[in-house]
Structure formats: C-alpha cells, structure tokens
Amino acid sequence: MPVITTIDDLKRMHKRRVPKMFYDYCESGSWTEQTFRENTSDFDKIRLRQRVAVDMTNRSTATTMVGHDVSIPVALAPVGLTGMQHADGEILAAKAAEKFGVPFTLSTMSICSIEDVAGKTTAPFWFQLYTMKDEDYTDRLIQRAKDAGCSALVITLDLQILGQRHKDLKNGLTAPPKFTLPVIADLATKWGWGMEMLGTKRRFFGNIIGHVANVKDPSSLHAWTAEQFDPALDWNKVAKLMEKWDGKVILKGILDAEDARMAAKLGADAIVVSNHGGRQLDGALSSIRALPSIMDAVGDQVEVLLDSGIRSGQDVLKAMAMGAKGTMIGRAYIHGLGAMGQKGVTAALETIRKELDITMALCGRRHVEDLDHDILLIPEDFEGRWKEN
Ligand SMILES: Cc1cc2nc3c(=O)[nH]c(=O)nc-3n(C[C@H](O)[C@H](O)[C@H](O)COP(=O)(O)O)c2cc1C
C-alpha cells in the first residue's frame, strides 16, 4: 500500500482510478468555481499560534456531535452518486465511519439505498433529505429513514434548483454512464473500477428507482432534479418536515446570519454552515469566512457545524477554534473512497485525525473541546468589509 500522508495523495489516486465523468462530478464547483476555490484558500489565510512548554500528554480528539460520541469532530457529508466512485460506495463509507466512530450521512441521491446501508451496518446513520414535488414520495422517504433507525434527518436547504456545473454538462453525467465513444475510451483505462462495478447490482439511484411512480431511469441528473426537486421549499415547509421527522434535525446549507436565526427559531438541533462545497451559488462567501457572523447570531442557541473546503485536520481545528462544534467532509473522504474503497475512507479519516491531534498539541491544547480563538491568527479583514444593505 502506498504511504498516504495527505488527502491530496488520495485525490491523485482517485483521479487515476475512477472514470473522468465521476471524478469531475466530485472535483468541481459551479460556474467560475470562485467559491469552490475560496472554500480552501480562505482556510489557508488563517494562521496558528505556536505555543511551547505545555504538557502534551493525555490528548483527546473525542467529543460529541448532535448527541453522538465521536472520535474526531468530523461527520461524512451526504454525497450523491457515491456508489459511482466505487462499487457499493455508500456501504463502504458507512462501514469505515462506523469503525472510526464518526457519523455517516446518506444522501437522497445515493446509489445504495437506505435499506442497503442499514442492512450492512449497525451504527445508526444520518439521512439527508432533498424535498421532491411528489409529497407522498418525500413522506415515504422520511418513513423509510425512520424504519432504518436513522438518528438524525439532515434537510438540505441550498439545492432546490441545481447550480450549473459546466463539467457535468460537458461530460453528459449519467448514472450508470451511457456508452458514448469518449466514455468507452475513458473506461478502457479504468478496468479496476469497471470490474468492481460489474460485480454489484447497485448502479442506479437506489432511493428513487422503484420508489417514484414513472421514474424507471433517472439518467440525467440535471433533467431529473429540474423535474423532481421542489423549488417551492420554504421555511413553512421546513417546519412541517421537522414535525414529520419528530427527531434530531440538522439544517444544512446555511450561509447567512438571518437564515441561521430562522433555523434556530424553528428549533433545529444543529445547522451546517455550508455552500454545498461551492457547487451551488458561485460568488457566495466561503463557509469559513461566513462562520464568525453566524456564530455571533446563533452560536449560543444551536449547535453549529461547518463544511466546505476541509482538506486537513488543521482545517478542522480552525473551524473548531472559531466556534464550530463539529465539521463535515465531502470530497476529502470521496477521494479516499475512489482511491481505495473502504480502506481509503479510513485513510482519509486517519490522516485528518493525525493532523488535528498534532496541530492541537503544537498549539498548546490537549483537548479538542478546548480549542478557541486564542490559538488562531486571523487577518483583520478576514470577514471582508461589505457595504451595508
Ligand atoms: C460530488 C458531491 C456530491 C454531493 N451531493 C450532495 C447531496 O446529495 N446532498 C447534499 O446535501 N450535499 C451534497 N454535496 C455537498 C456535501 O454534502 C458537502 O456540503 C460538501 O461536499 C462540502 O464541501 P467539501 O467537499 O469541500 O468538503 C455533494 C458534494 C459533492 C462534492
């Protein structure tokens, strides 16, 4: 096995192993990809204070997230088509998360179904809901997640319509891929991936096919989401969904203090400060830059998690020191999955754990729950100076 020291190592292997269409689906943002880029580059602007002569024994990265004990404050974010990055990808990622002691979130747009993942794991996972125009279908999804013992419902609020991602349109993204000439030429170099895919029956959207009337082949993601996702989702509907779930609710995709206040008012257990990994509103602030104003607005009322741009344990540490109670990672674990399946997801989590642990120690802290602003050097203009609306 190659020596993995960074998430970038896994990313390079992911690119070599997985068809271009699916690698590009993962590694892209919308339009100019400005927000996608700034999600990571803004983390780099924050520096750390090196502290010395502090007892560094008995360190711990363990804490809790939304009532769960976690070995590191990192949950696996919901990622559509995970089962196209590696055969049975959602099951493998959920197993890796369970062993590592972190939550796994299953996307509505997964390849393996809710029941598939529940049948192959024992730890409860989180289910991410996209609301569909077909209310009966949405209700059935919620019921299926309850029946599977999911311990939280993650309602994604930042994708009622799809941000335009040029690469997906140019690649003609479908699941499974359609056999056009460029796709065949690409697949010819991705034999390992292809053989594994032939060995599984899970190659379509497992939560959808067979569960939505008249949808037998949601081949084009863009066409399907345009037809099926509910563009009329508003706070009233969110409140109704929360009532139907009647359990822990995490509202994902909050980037503005006013929306954060609304989420807290509705009684969400947690929010995820997120711009969907730069895949929706290009030109929006990076999540880490949006975090301080959201902490000021609701930090004492609701558990604040953050995703978008996390590629290392140092990024996790920075988010925690700025007040987040935990983080989610998307691409960081998908690179691991695409590179090496379950082992790769574990390698991604282990890489992040080590970086977090050692960085924490070198900043003079022994416990992840003790991370605070004091360990950071944040540029004075970090949040940006914008004209009042
Ligand atoms: C390939 C891909 C697919 C995604 N699919 C979903 C999804 O189905 N539901 C959802 O709520 N978020 C989805 N997201 C967003 C992630 O949950 C998460 O917000 C994002 O990946 C965080 O940014 P990061 O990749 O920089 O960590 C997706 C992200 C990626 C990269």
Side-chain angles (χ1 to χ4, degrees):
M1 183 162 134
V3 180
I4 306 295
T5 54
T6 64
I7 296 296
D8 254 359
D9 291 338
L10 295 167
K11 180 174 161 181
R12 276 188 294 275
M13 291 165 72
H14 178 198
K15 188 171 186 180
R16 277 201 299 273
R17 199 174 177 284
V18 172
K20 180 176 175 353
M21 174 187 291
F22 299 118
Y23 176 82
D24 281 356
Y25 169 62
C26 170
E27 194 53 15
S28 59
S30 52
W31 288 291
T32 70
E33 302 192 330
Q34 178 187 37
T35 299
F36 172 53
R37 286 189 301 276
E38 289 182 357
N39 274 339
T40 47
S41 62
D42 280 350
F43 270 110
D44 297 339
K45 292 183 183 141
I46 302 169
R47 304 292 159 80
L48 304 170
R49 282 179 70 196
Q50 172 178 304
R51 304 303 304 275
V52 296
V54 178
D55 178 359
M56 289 178 187
T57 54
N58 298 324
R59 297 187 306 279
S60 172
T61 56
T63 179
T64 59
M65 281 173 77
V66 201
H68 284 260
D69 289 328
V70 292
S71 58
I72 53 173
V74 175
L76 303 194
V79 170
L81 272 77
T82 293
M84 283 290 129
Q85 305 292 350
H86 191 288
D88 298 338
E90 289 88 357
I91 293 172
L92 299 184
K95 281 183 165 180
E98 178 171 338
K99 278 207 173 152
F100 208 86
V102 295
F104 169 75
T105 317
L106 184 73
S107 163
T108 294
M109 301 302 285
S110 57
I111 300 294
C112 302
S113 68
I114 300 173
E115 294 77 11
D116 283 336
V117 175
K120 301 281 181 189
T121 52
T122 50
F125 56 95
W126 296 349
F127 179 67
Q128 176 266 325
L129 182 74
Y130 280 132
T131 47
M132 307 288 169
K133 286 178 192 157
D134 178 347
E135 245 183 71
D136 284 347
Y137 170 67
T138 305
D139 288 351
R140 285 202 303 280
L141 262 184
I142 292 178
Q143 191 54 50
R144 287 169 61 198
K146 277 187 193 174
D147 293 346
C150 292
S151 54
L153 186 70
V154 179
I155 305 177
T156 297
L157 299 177
D158 59 2
L159 197 148
Q160 283 152 273
I161 52 173
L162 204 63
Q164 181 164 308
R165 302 162 200 163
H166 298 316
K167 286 180 203 151
D168 292 351
L169 292 173
K170 290 187 167 126
N171 288 331
L173 177 72
T174 57
K178 282 198 183 123
F179 290 105
T180 58
L181 269 180
V183 168
I184 293 168
D186 184 39
L187 285 179
T189 64
K190 308 283 166 43
W191 273 106
W193 178 92
M195 293 309 286
E196 277 156 13
M197 276 297 162
L198 287 175
T200 180
K201 56 183 189 312
R202 302 183 184 96
R203 291 193 290 261
F204 303 90
F205 293 102
N207 290 325
I208 292 162
I209 298 283
H211 295 279
V212 184
N214 303 325
V215 178
K216 307 228 161 16
D217 169 26
S219 50
S220 159
L221 188 67
H222 281 80
W224 198 83
T225 46
E227 277 164 29
Q228 305 291 330
F229 280 30
D230 182 9
L233 180 69
D234 61 11
W235 287 111
N236 286 329
K237 288 195 176 187
V238 174
K240 283 193 191 131
L241 290 170
M242 289 171 71
E243 257 170 50
K244 283 181 187 168
W245 177 252
D246 194 22
K248 296 247 157 104
V249 171
I250 303 169
L251 296 182
K252 176 172 180 285
I254 306 279
L255 206 64
D256 191 279
E258 275 181 39
D259 289 335
R261 279 191 204 100
M262 202 56 210
K265 202 167 137 197
L266 286 192
D269 296 277
I271 60 172
V272 188
V273 176
S274 170
N275 52 37
H276 216 100
R279 300 163 73 79
Q280 285 295 100
L281 179 63
D282 189 35
L285 288 186
S286 67
S287 288
I288 194 66
R289 216 164 166 195
L291 182 63
S293 64
I294 292 178
M295 288 311 304
D296 286 348
V298 299
D300 55 349
Q301 297 163 44
V302 63
E303 194 168 320
V304 177
L305 312 178
L306 174 138
D307 78 19
S308 299
I310 291 180
R311 300 288 181 275
S312 72
Q314 291 212 333
D315 296 339
V316 173
L317 171 131
K318 289 172 184 175
M320 299 288 287
M322 286 172 75
K325 182 84 174 64
T327 62
M328 282 186 152
I329 53 170
R331 296 178 183 89
Y333 89 85
I334 292 295
H335 293 323
L337 181 75
M340 291 192 289
Q342 183 173 337
K343 270 193 206 145
V345 178
T346 306
L349 287 166
E350 188 52 28
T351 300
I352 288 175
R353 188 197 63 75
K354 275 192 205 142
E355 289 163 342
L356 173 62
D357 177 47
I358 294 173
T359 307
M360 185 172 81
L362 295 174
C363 289
R365 297 294 154 91
R366 290 193 295 189
H367 200 289
V368 86
E369 287 179 350
D370 296 336
L371 299 172
D372 60 13
H373 271 87
D374 243 26
I375 64 165
L376 301 179
L377 296 167
I378 303 175
E380 274 182 6
D381 60 349
F382 183 67
E383 284 178 68
R385 291 200 359 238
W386 316 103
K387 279 197 170 174
E388 291 288 321
N389 285 332

